[in-house]
């Protein structure tokens, strides 16, 4: 006798979010070119991280609405130590928060670039979290 098949429908949002976050965190071990960074490699080092985002980056109408939020991003750091792309890996607020964070980080984030075992600058990833709060 064949067992009946039950098809359950529902949102894939939770499993998809989990897989996206897992994949994004796994990529920290890879260079932008997809080659593993060796054990002797040096990760990028943030420079003046407190200056990356300004109060003006917090969207004014979201402040007036009392909205707070957290955004987690993965920055691609190029060989010159600049953030060359910004990918949101987690956010609990509207897209406008995400956009504001990425604009500010792409404009101001600076690093000592990652280095391979030979000491050459290599592209890499850097994970960063931003929490918007109203005081």
């Amino acid at each position: 006798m064949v067992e009946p098949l039950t098809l359950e429908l529902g949102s894939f949002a939770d499993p998809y979010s989990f897989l996206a976050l897992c994949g994004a965190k796994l990529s920290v071990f890879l260079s932008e070119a997809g080659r593993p960074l060796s054990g002797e490699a040096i990760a990028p080092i943030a420079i003046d991280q407190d200056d990356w985002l300004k109060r003006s980056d917090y969207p004014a109408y979201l402040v007036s609405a009392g909205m707070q939020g957290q955004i987690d991003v993965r920055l691609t750091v190029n060989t010159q130590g600049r953030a060359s792309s910004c990918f949101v890996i987690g956010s609990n607020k509207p897209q406008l928060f995400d956009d504001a964070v990425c604009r500010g980080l792409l404009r101001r984030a600076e690093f000592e670039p990652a280095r391979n075992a030979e000491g050459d600058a290599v592209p890499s990833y850097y994970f960063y979290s931003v929490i918007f709060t109203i005081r």
Side-chain angles (χ1 to χ4, degrees):
M1 182 165 158
V2 177
E3 293 289 320
L5 175 67
T6 303
L7 177 62
E8 292 186 31
L9 302 176
S11 173
F12 281 98
D14 289 340
Y16 178 76
S17 294
F18 175 77
L19 288 173
L21 181 61
C22 185
K25 287 190 175 193
L26 177 63
S27 68
V28 74
F29 299 109
L30 301 177
S31 72
E32 180 67 5
R35 294 181 299 273
L37 292 173
S38 70
E40 300 85 33
I42 299 170
I45 299 168
I47 298 172
D48 296 326
Q49 200 168 10
D50 291 341
D51 295 332
W52 289 358
L53 292 172
K54 307 288 183 192
R55 185 175 185 88
S56 61
D57 291 322
Y58 200 145
Y61 70 94
L62 295 177
V63 172
S64 63
M67 293 192 76
Q68 302 182 107
Q70 178 173 338
I71 297 93
D72 301 313
V73 299
R74 181 189 72 206
L75 298 172
T76 301
V77 180
N78 64 25
T79 57
Q80 289 76 43
R82 298 294 301 181
S84 58
S85 70
C86 178
F87 177 74
V88 176
I89 58 174
S91 178
N92 66 354
K93 289 299 174 194
Q95 176 80 34
L96 297 165
F97 275 111
D98 302 350
D99 295 343
V101 167
C102 282
R103 269 193 311 275
L105 293 174
L106 288 172
R107 190 177 311 131
R108 298 184 207 98
E110 292 185 79
F111 300 86
E112 182 62 39
R115 305 258 172 208
N116 62 18
E118 293 78 35
D120 301 321
V122 293
S124 60
Y125 294 126
Y126 187 85
F127 291 88
Y128 188 67
S129 291
V130 177
I131 299 173
F132 284 102
T133 58
I134 299 171
R135 296 177 195 223

